[in-house]
Amino acid sequence: MTLTGNDEHTARPRRQPRTGRPRRLAATLIGLTLAGGLLLTGCGASDSNGSSTDGSNKSGGRGFPQPAPNRTSGTSQGEQKDTPTGDASRELAPSPDYLSTFALDVDTASYGYARRALADGRLPEASTVRPEEFVNSFRQDYRRPDGNGFSVTVDGARTREKDWSLVRVGLATRDTPQSGKRPPAALTFVIDISGSMGETGRLDLAQDALGVMTDRLRDDDSVAVVTFSDEARTVLPMTRVGHHRDRIYAAIRGLEPTESTNLGAGVRTGYATAVKGLREGATNRVVLISDALANTGETDADAILENISTARREHGITLFGVGVGSEYGDALMERLADKGDGHTTYVSTIEEARKVFCEQLPQNVDLTARDAKAQVAFDPETVKQFRLIGYDDRQVADEDFRNDRVDGGEIGPGHTVTALYAVRTRPGASGHLATASVRWLDPDTRAPHEESGQLETGSLDEDLWTSSTRLQVDAVAAYFADDLRTGDDKANPLPGALPLGELADRAHRVASAAEDEAVDDLANAVERASGLMG
């Protein structure tokens, strides 16, 4: 259900750090229709299942609410008074606030690392499990927009717990352009060559994938190579690929592991090299390849990136983190990417590494949206409670949804972003259920844009496990992540959660219907976890 929204054209103020979500009293939602503006896509009428397909007000007189000036709770709101658990995404706090706001995120490292741990016969640490990264690891079938920006899809299905449903907000950018159509890339590879990178599946894996990637770069792309162990050095300054592929191959082949991990020095030198080789009209990006086990020099993500904040803010140089290794500093890498306006992934096999560098990297080179944020407004007349599943460290104050000084996510072409909500509807509820909006800045002009989609209660009539295959895949991924990060603590499970053994059976059925190797891998991972948990 793709809808249009309004465009606003204002100067972009200076960036501020992403903020946590304050807990203040929310004002009563004010019903307002969206301001008219330059429409991004065409309009349509409501579809047969009650989901609206344009940006107009179809809520029975209750218009799209503006961001609330204050709020009191975390990601979950409603009327039930539950004791907070300490995990923001598992709270069902009392509040009159029916808004949920978060920065977009396309990270997948948490799921990749969990699969690696399970393949090694162990459960991942609960602190490394981020449900949104599990869900966003899988292909979606959302309609894509023609130009920069997003399409918005809102759907859902009921769980087998009374009055509870899963609601899915799906955002998609345009397809990845053909190789000749994207802007040239200026990529600075910052490669960890510390002693720990000598383990099979770390530096050797990166070298293979980078070699294959070099074959596929265009002549007008540029590459620089920085290495770090106890200190950092620029092995190859920014070099136009053109007739210099042999120089790039030689720089990659010559990498050898040695000594300790001064990740801070690597990042500083990498950004300095990127700034020195900055190309106007190109996408300038630092690609960090590391196990993130920093043990020398500065080891705090905020302190590391504070030194290069000017490069990020003034030159728009973003960070793409690629994690490797059976032991992996997940928290540091994730924080680096968050602070560096980028995202992370994790690889453990040659096949995965080649996919990241040869297929996915183009998605992480070009940008279609900067500082992208989403806000979902639930209708208090039909919704009693809701819980956003994941996005714990991506929360944004509701009143900052349209504050373009507050950081959001950087999103490229070919990406999809999925957010799942557990939603408890009021008995007998009928009509408008929620409006989901996304706001972003044009990557070139910094002009803000918005687009919205709406959902009616009639869209939740179908049972979750007979709904669309892709929604079932998302549900399996979310329930799986919730199990992994709670273990034996089932005090506040997701509504409709299945025992892990039953979820494994369900995952295999969904995998068969999806005919997707990635979903087969998910089913196998759930089965391994079920065996380890007993």
Side-chain angles (χ1 to χ4, degrees):
M1 286 48 82
T2 305
L3 294 95
T4 61
N6 65 327
D7 294 351
E8 299 174 13
H9 301 280
T10 58
R12 182 180 187 271
R14 182 174 177 177
R15 180 190 303 270
Q16 292 181 347
R18 179 173 301 160
T19 60
R21 194 170 181 169
R23 302 173 66 88
R24 312 176 200 134
L25 181 63
T28 303
L29 301 179
I30 302 171
L32 293 174
T33 56
L34 282 172
L38 179 63
L39 296 180
L40 300 179
T41 59
C43 299
S46 297
D47 64 18
S48 60
N49 67 6
S51 297
S52 175
T53 56
D54 66 18
S56 60
N57 176 19
K58 298 182 183 296
S59 57
R62 297 184 298 276
F64 177 78
Q66 295 292 321
N70 296 291
R71 60 169 294 112
T72 62
S73 65
T75 54
S76 302
Q77 291 77 39
E79 297 179 348
Q80 179 176 322
K81 295 184 179 181
D82 288 355
T83 301
T85 62
D87 181 346
S89 71
R90 299 180 63 78
E91 293 179 18
L92 294 173
S95 171
D97 179 14
Y98 284 80
L99 289 172
S100 171
T101 310
F102 57 94
L104 300 197
D105 182 16
V106 293
D107 290 357
T108 61
S110 176
Y111 174 66
Y113 186 49
R115 282 184 55 218
R116 170 64 182 265
L118 291 166
D120 289 345
R122 56 189 173 86
L123 293 170
E125 290 292 329
S127 62
T128 68
V129 177
R130 294 180 290 276
E132 72 278 12
E133 297 187 24
F134 279 54
V135 173
N136 282 316
S137 294
F138 298 95
R139 177 176 63 82
Q140 301 292 346
D141 294 329
Y142 306 138
R143 189 193 71 79
R144 295 187 180 275
D146 295 328
N148 282 354
F150 297 87
S151 63
V152 182
T153 300
V154 194
D155 60 7
R158 57 182 170 81
T159 72
R160 295 180 181 178
E161 186 164 338
K162 183 176 174 58
D163 295 330
W164 282 97
S165 299
L166 282 188
V167 168
R168 178 175 63 168
V169 176
L171 309 172
T173 57
R174 59 177 166 81
D175 286 328
T176 305
Q178 298 297 318
S179 59
K181 295 182 179 179
R182 65 167 172 81
L187 305 175
T188 301
F189 290 95
V190 179
I191 305 172
D192 187 346
I193 58 167
S194 62
S196 60
M197 291 292 287
E199 175 192 295
T200 301
R202 297 193 187 199
L203 184 57
D204 60 327
L205 180 150
Q207 287 174 297
D208 176 273
L210 288 172
V212 175
M213 183 206 68
T214 300
D215 290 335
R216 303 187 183 185
L217 287 174
R218 298 186 332 206
D219 286 349
D220 62 344
D221 292 329
S222 298
V223 169
V225 177
V226 171
T227 62
F228 67 93
S229 53
D230 60 327
E231 59 183 22
R233 70 187 185 97
T234 301
V235 175
L236 181 73
M238 192 64 71
T239 302
R240 195 70 62 99
V241 173
H243 301 294
H244 301 290
R245 292 181 197 272
D246 287 344
R247 288 184 63 193
I248 300 171
Y249 293 138
I252 294 169
R253 284 195 303 266
L255 302 178
E256 294 183 358
T258 177
E259 302 186 39
S260 54
T261 310
N262 192 338
L263 191 148
V267 171
R268 284 193 299 274
T269 303
Y271 271 86
T273 301
V275 170
K276 187 175 181 179
L278 191 74
R279 287 182 58 186
E280 295 296 329
T283 301
N284 296 271
R285 178 152 296 211
V286 169
V287 182
L288 173 63
I289 305 167
S290 176
D291 57 17
L293 299 176
N295 55 25
T296 301
E298 186 57 70
T299 60
D300 177 72
D302 290 2
I304 290 171
L305 289 176
E306 182 62 31
N307 293 321
I308 47 85
S309 59
T310 300
R312 294 184 292 121
R313 185 177 62 251
E314 296 185 4
H315 302 301
I317 300 173
T318 54
L319 180 67
F320 178 38
V322 182
V324 295
S326 57
E327 293 184 29
Y328 168 56
D330 170 80
L332 178 58
M333 182 70 90
E334 197 271 341
R335 184 66 176 151
L336 282 169
D338 183 22
K339 294 288 288 183
D341 293 338
H343 35 273
T344 64
T345 189
Y346 175 89
V347 297
S348 60
T349 67
I350 292 293
E351 291 74 18
E352 290 174 353
R354 288 185 176 184
K355 182 176 181 181
V356 165
F357 287 106
C358 302
E359 298 177 26
Q360 295 178 2
L361 188 56
Q363 294 177 283
N364 299 301
V365 167
D366 194 9
L367 281 180
T368 60
R370 287 190 181 274
D371 289 328
K373 292 172 281 192
Q375 183 170 85
V376 182
F378 290 95
D379 193 322
E381 294 192 20
T382 56
V383 173
K384 189 171 185 179
Q385 290 173 278
F386 65 90
R387 175 196 296 174
L388 173 59
I389 303 172
Y391 292 93
D392 300 351
D393 57 358
R394 294 293 191 269
Q395 297 171 36
V396 173
D398 293 330
E399 62 268 28
D400 286 334
F401 176 59
R402 295 190 175 95
N403 182 352
D404 296 325
R405 294 173 299 173
V406 173
D407 199 11
E410 273 56 47
I411 310 295
H415 278 134
T416 60
V417 179
T418 300
L420 289 180
Y421 288 85
V423 177
R424 185 182 182 187
T425 52
R426 298 184 183 278
S430 177
H432 178 254
L433 187 130
T435 299
S437 299
V438 58
R439 182 181 177 89
W440 72 96
L441 303 182
D442 183 277
D444 297 320
T445 67
R446 302 299 177 109
H449 303 272
E450 289 185 18
E451 194 151 327
S452 300
Q454 298 188 41
L455 184 69
E456 304 291 309
T457 56
S459 297
L460 305 179
D461 288 343
E462 189 171 8
D463 181 88
L464 175 63
W465 301 117
T466 61
S467 65
S468 70
T469 298
R470 287 292 154 188
L471 178 55
Q472 291 188 59
V473 171
D474 295 340
V476 168
Y479 284 131
F480 180 37
D482 195 62
D483 255 314
L484 288 176
R485 70 173 178 169
T486 58
D488 295 330
D489 178 16
K490 304 300 182 188
N492 194 14
L494 280 177
L498 304 175
L500 200 54
E502 187 177 341
L503 184 65
D505 293 339
R506 180 66 61 181
H508 281 293
R509 280 184 242 168
V510 174
S512 178
E515 297 182 342
D516 182 341
E517 185 177 346
V519 186
D520 287 330
D521 291 339
L522 171 63
N524 292 333
V526 177
E527 189 170 4
R528 288 192 190 100
S530 178
L532 290 169
M533 286 184 174

